[in-house]
Amino acid sequence: MCNINTFVAIFKEFKMKKRNLIITALLFLVTMAQAGGLLTNTNQNIAFNRNFARDGVIAIDGVYSNPAGVAFLDKGLHLSFNAQSAFQTRDINSSIQFPAFQGTPYELPFRLNGGNEQGAKYYKGTASAPFIPSVQAALNYEKWGFQASFALVGGGGKATFNDGLGSFERQVAIIPALLAGEGLGSQTPGYSLNSYMNGQQYIFGLQLGSTYKFNEHWAAYGGMRFNYVLNKYQGSITDITANINGQDERLYDYFEEHSISLTQQAAQASALASTLPAGAQKTALEAAVAQLNAGADKMNMYKEKVADKYLDCTQTGWGVTPIIGVDFRYGALNIGTRFEFGTNLNIQNNTKRDDTGMFKDGVNTPNDIPALWTIGAQYSVLSNVRAMVSYHYYFDKDADMADDKQKLLSGNTQEILAGAEWDVTKDVMVSAGMQHTSYGLGDGSFLSDMSFVTSSTSVGFGASIRVTKNARLNLAYFWTDYDKFNKSYTMPFKRTETDTNPIMSNNTDQFTRTNKVLGAGIDIDF
């Protein structure tokens, strides 16, 4: 059995080298933030894929883009069935730099876990949706008409990051430096973690409305869209390791072993103290027992900070969007406009597991769909050639988001669209178009690596081919060229919860995306 001097020596060594280890290193456990974003999706028909400027066009896809103009289709039933396949990536280059560690291996810590010489790491999210359906229907009478559609009207889609995200890894990357500061460094510093994130955001829309044709020039529309939100987040952060004194250690196991050791030492010291008479030695030994137990408790607490973490949360909600529209036609010119009112939406968490504390079960958060105003025109340049232009304005800053995130935007989203159609024969029509989307992102505070958009330009082309007397096949392909957006910001790392002099980091994120969509559909008139 150990004597009192041995226990006091053990405790002093622990106190000097390890007591503050996690207080200074691991209060920054990785958490996952709620995803969000600018929600409206205008890609609801194959006709849009090949020619984006549809807001002044008279066609069945106008059930979404120009509902008032649908009143000028022939009397009868008009149907459009569409299927699209989308393939996307989300590409992020992230870095972190600590000025306080300048000249050491810890200044650019991503280099300790696969980063390049400049201290940056590449994170890629991939998504594929082989089948995205939508349907539009219109039944026209002499003056009245009735419409319905179902489509994916909003959301950020789906993305999987098999290697996690920079925001996850930054919280772990500082650990080697802080370990070194506590005498637990290494000649070969390094760290690792396994990180995974999958996020899905969908808003399904069922739209119902009616038109009234006043005369051969004017028609109006009134309707509403029922929106159902389905978001799902799954993620994990596991196996956090760091190199301590030349040995890669799984930190959860490392601190558990020290906790067990300290608990055993405390038990032995307590047993020894019970055999001693009252006096200075007994008092000193009892104090050591209390300190060893306190150290074990802290080891257990810090162990939980680096324990494997998992998230499994589904969010649902619904809201109604009122919609009005007007169409004017005169000779070779047609002009359409519509206004979609802002949609108040709250989404509720249904959480199966949340080790992050960020997605508490039953909590509601705002997730509004912004109001949208569109106007477009079509002009028949020749009897078989038509040109189109459109403009979209989204009232993003008026749409409530979690934590008033919309206030970080510098302006509202605007889109300019143009396209043309050519009737090659009476049975074959080809078309092409472009769309430029400009977001008011300001300094980028609105963006995070879990949820981001960048301004973009899309180009599409395709054809419409008559396959029977009353049916046409639509084919289209489009791709999007996204801008690169660079976000730079600082972030504090507190050594304790009450630290008034945190370690500051300089962070950069470069965001961009890719998008390719192939689609086919059929329009049928009865």
Side-chain angles (χ1 to χ4, degrees):
M1 181 175 291
C2 298
N3 60 33
I4 184 172
N5 294 327
T6 302
F7 282 114
V8 172
I10 289 172
F11 173 74
K12 286 182 176 179
E13 181 180 4
F14 164 72
K15 183 177 180 181
M16 292 173 63
K17 289 190 175 181
K18 301 181 180 65
R19 189 183 67 177
N20 295 321
L21 173 60
I22 302 304
I23 291 179
T24 59
L26 297 173
L27 290 174
F28 326 119
L29 177 66
V30 182
T31 59
M32 287 175 272
Q34 269 188 291
L38 308 183
L39 297 174
T40 305
N41 173 29
T42 56
N43 177 20
Q44 298 183 27
N45 190 282
I46 305 307
F48 175 92
N49 292 10
R50 65 174 187 256
N51 173 13
F52 308 107
R54 306 296 297 173
D55 303 281
V57 173
I58 296 173
I60 182 60
D61 65 288
V63 169
Y64 171 77
S65 59
N66 182 23
V70 176
F72 291 111
L73 290 177
D74 294 337
K75 287 192 295 182
L77 178 63
H78 308 272
L79 299 172
S80 180
F81 301 95
N82 305 271
Q84 303 178 50
S85 297
F87 305 92
Q88 301 179 344
T89 68
R90 288 158 173 78
D91 303 282
I92 310 164
N93 273 292
S94 296
S95 70
I96 180 171
Q97 185 254 346
F98 289 102
F101 304 142
Q102 187 173 6
T104 74
Y106 314 112
E107 180 184 3
L108 301 172
F110 279 177
R111 293 195 303 186
L112 304 179
N113 188 35
N116 63 22
E117 285 302 309
Q118 289 71 46
K121 288 193 72 173
Y122 173 62
Y123 301 87
K124 182 177 182 178
T126 59
S128 64
F131 180 66
I132 307 172
S134 66
V135 59
Q136 292 85 35
L139 179 61
N140 279 356
Y141 294 95
E142 187 66 36
K143 289 186 176 293
W144 286 95
F146 302 93
Q147 301 174 14
S149 72
F150 178 80
L152 185 67
V153 299
K158 174 183 177 182
T160 299
F161 290 84
N162 289 315
D163 296 316
L165 294 164
S167 57
F168 293 11
E169 187 163 341
R170 284 190 180 102
Q171 311 296 329
V172 178
I174 193 175
I175 289 176
L178 297 174
L179 290 172
E182 295 299 319
L184 295 171
S186 174
Q187 295 298 315
T188 56
Y191 69 91
S192 69
L193 72 160
N194 290 322
S195 182
Y196 168 82
M197 179 66 192
N198 176 271
Q200 303 175 41
Q201 294 178 301
Y202 297 109
I203 302 178
F204 301 96
L206 174 63
Q207 183 174 323
L208 302 171
S210 62
T211 58
Y212 185 79
K213 185 167 57 175
F214 296 98
N215 51 46
E216 62 179 323
H217 300 298
W218 289 96
Y221 170 87
M224 61 182 59
R225 182 184 302 120
F226 175 82
N227 307 280
Y228 178 75
V229 181
L230 177 62
N231 300 336
K232 188 171 181 63
Y233 306 110
Q234 293 178 309
S236 62
I237 304 161
T238 62
D239 300 322
I240 297 175
T241 73
N243 193 290
I244 298 176
N245 295 323
Q247 181 70 35
D248 289 335
E249 301 280 0
R250 186 174 185 269
L251 293 180
Y252 182 89
D253 297 335
Y254 182 83
F255 298 120
E256 183 176 47
E257 290 171 3
H258 281 278
S259 172
I260 293 171
S261 175
L262 291 169
T263 300
Q264 292 173 343
Q265 293 165 20
Q268 293 174 1
S270 178
L272 178 60
S274 67
T275 66
L276 297 177
Q281 279 194 330
K282 186 179 183 71
T283 300
L285 194 55
E286 288 174 343
V289 169
Q291 291 173 323
L292 287 166
N293 281 326
D297 290 341
K298 287 182 179 180
M299 286 290 105
N300 284 324
M301 181 181 69
Y302 304 150
K303 176 185 70 176
E304 294 306 314
K305 296 290 185 181
V306 293
D308 295 345
K309 303 294 181 181
Y310 297 89
L311 172 68
D312 187 350
C313 176
T314 299
Q315 299 174 325
T316 57
W318 64 275
V320 177
T321 306
I323 306 169
I324 55 175
V326 176
D327 189 86
F328 171 75
R329 66 186 303 196
Y330 186 84
L333 177 66
N334 191 79
I335 299 174
T337 186
R338 81 181 192 278
F339 185 79
E340 299 187 4
F341 291 83
T343 307
N344 182 258
L345 261 176
N346 282 291
I347 55 176
Q348 180 171 308
N349 293 342
N350 177 11
T351 305
K352 295 181 180 178
R353 182 170 181 178
D354 177 23
D355 296 330
T356 72
M358 300 294 291
F359 292 80
K360 293 182 179 179
D361 188 48
V363 171
N364 281 273
T365 54
N367 198 51
D368 291 358
I369 301 175
L372 167 64
W373 174 63
T374 74
I375 186 168
Q378 172 182 286
Y379 185 77
S380 297
V381 181
L382 300 171
S383 60
N384 64 339
V385 177
R386 296 166 296 281
M388 302 88 167
V389 294
S390 295
Y391 175 75
H392 298 166
Y393 188 86
Y394 300 85
F395 295 82
D396 298 308
K397 288 182 66 64
D398 298 321
D400 290 340
M401 299 180 187
D403 302 319
D404 282 333
K405 186 179 176 182
Q406 73 281 357
K407 293 181 179 180
L408 300 175
L409 294 168
S410 62
N412 291 316
T413 303
Q414 301 182 65
E415 292 180 330
I416 299 173
L417 312 94
E421 296 178 344
W422 173 33
D423 297 328
V424 182
T425 71
K426 65 177 183 178
D427 296 323
V428 178
M429 183 268 286
V430 296
S431 63
M434 62 78 63
Q435 169 182 296
H436 179 71
T437 302
S438 179
Y439 295 107
L441 300 177
D443 64 358
S445 298
F446 177 85
L447 305 178
S448 72
D449 53 8
M450 288 191 65
S451 175
F452 67 89
V453 293
T454 69
S455 298
S456 63
T457 300
S458 298
V459 178
F461 63 92
S464 176
I465 304 167
R466 186 180 303 279
V467 291
T468 69
K469 181 179 179 180
N470 65 340
R472 299 186 72 96
L473 174 67
N474 295 302
L475 301 169
Y477 174 79
F478 83 88
W479 70 95
T480 305
D481 181 31
Y482 288 89
D483 293 351
K484 292 181 179 179
F485 188 94
N486 294 302
K487 175 183 176 180
S488 299
Y489 55 103
T490 60
M491 186 168 68
F493 287 80
K494 290 186 176 182
R495 284 159 290 215
T496 69
E497 294 180 356
T498 59
D499 189 357
T500 59
N501 187 30
I503 300 172
M504 301 301 295
S505 69
N506 298 324
N507 302 335
T508 64
D509 291 307
Q510 183 184 81
F511 303 114
T512 190
R513 301 167 65 151
T514 67
N515 182 55
K516 299 175 183 178
V517 180
L518 177 67
I522 189 165
D523 296 342
I524 306 173
D525 302 316
F526 294 96

